[in-house]
Amino acid sequence: MNEIKRIISPDTQREDRLPPGQRLTDKWPVLHHGKVPSIDIKKWTFTIAGLVEAERTLTYDEFTALPQVEVVSDIHCVTTWSRYNNVWEGISTSAIKDIVKIKPEAKYVFVLGEGGFTTNLPIEDFFQPDVLFALKHDGQPLTAEHGAPVRLVVPRLYFWKSAKWVTGIKFAAKDEPGFWERAGYHMHGDPWREERYGG
Ligand SMILES: Nc1nc2c(c(=O)[nH]1)N[C@H]1C(S)=C(S)[C@@H](COP(=O)(O)O)O[C@H]1N2
Ligand SMILES: [Mo]
């Protein structure tokens, strides 16, 4: 077996690792719009669409056969709680580059979640080495309420960018607000600059 690649999110190494306006918790609150979907992994698919040479749809077995990584990261929720030292296991976003050819015009990624959820990310943020599609948290399979079977984790942005129940991604040339961004959340969401609302 290949050794799993371990990545420490750089924000965990900051001398003062709590971003402004945040407070620390050991708990892991559940937050989302709507109901927790029940997803059958036999029917689940992951679609890569938009500005790629050829769009692709992977089954759960195909997706989870991609090389896996382990990431240690902090969670910073815009509602002001932070949780340190989360251990995630899953598929690095960089694995996407090995299976599709992304067109040079692509500058943004929309992450799609079950039931119509979307969130927008600049392509550079999406491909940071600590960003992954997580299958496990702290050694346990993700629970349905935390986004099973697959959720995105973007450690260096506020946690609303970490879409739960992911079903695919779409590459685009222009930025567009996603679900929470249309509701007033910031288009980017950097916790160190307190990009909470507006912008
Ligand atoms: N599909 C989906 N993903 C989502 C959301 C949502 O409403 N739908 N909410 C986001 C928000 S606002 C937060 S704070 C985190 C919460 O993740 P957790 O419930 O695992 O703590 O999920 C994010 N991902
Ligand atoms: Mo949130």
Side-chain angles (χ1 to χ4, degrees), residues 60-198:
Y60 183 78
D61 287 344
E62 289 167 337
F63 186 76
T64 54
L66 297 171
Q68 301 213 359
V69 293
E70 184 183 287
V71 173
V72 179
S73 80
D74 296 342
I75 295 173
H76 305 301
C77 178
V78 72
T79 61
T80 75
W81 60 269
S82 291
R83 186 182 190 275
Y84 289 165
N85 298 326
N86 299 274
V87 183
W88 307 98
E89 284 168 67
I91 288 93
S92 167
T93 51
S94 68
I96 301 293
K97 289 179 177 164
D98 301 331
I99 57 173
V100 292
K101 200 165 183 309
I102 302 162
K103 293 186 178 172
E105 310 90 89
K107 298 284 180 269
Y108 294 90
V109 184
F110 306 136
V111 185
L112 316 175
E114 192 73 31
F117 183 82
T118 60
T119 192
N120 56 315
L121 293 160
I123 202 164
E124 337 45 287
D125 290 294
F126 178 75
F127 283 123
Q128 289 302 310
D130 56 351
V131 179
L132 80 164
F133 294 100
L135 308 169
K136 287 187 174 183
H137 175 268
D138 288 354
Q140 300 299 318
L142 276 183
T143 58
E145 58 183 12
H146 285 300
V150 178
R151 84 171 298 161
L152 186 71
V153 177
V154 189
R156 283 181 265 180
L157 296 177
Y158 282 124
F159 206 38
W160 86 78
K161 297 286 182 183
S162 294
K164 304 199 275 193
W165 314 298
V166 170
T167 56
I169 55 174
K170 186 177 176 185
F171 291 95
K174 285 203 192 103
D175 202 6
E176 259 180 53
F179 177 83
W180 288 112
E181 294 80 11
R182 279 195 295 274
Y185 284 19
H186 198 278
M187 287 292 271
H188 184 226
D190 180 345
W192 301 95
R193 301 164 75 174
E194 286 206 75
E195 292 174 343
R196 296 177 189 273
Y197 309 105

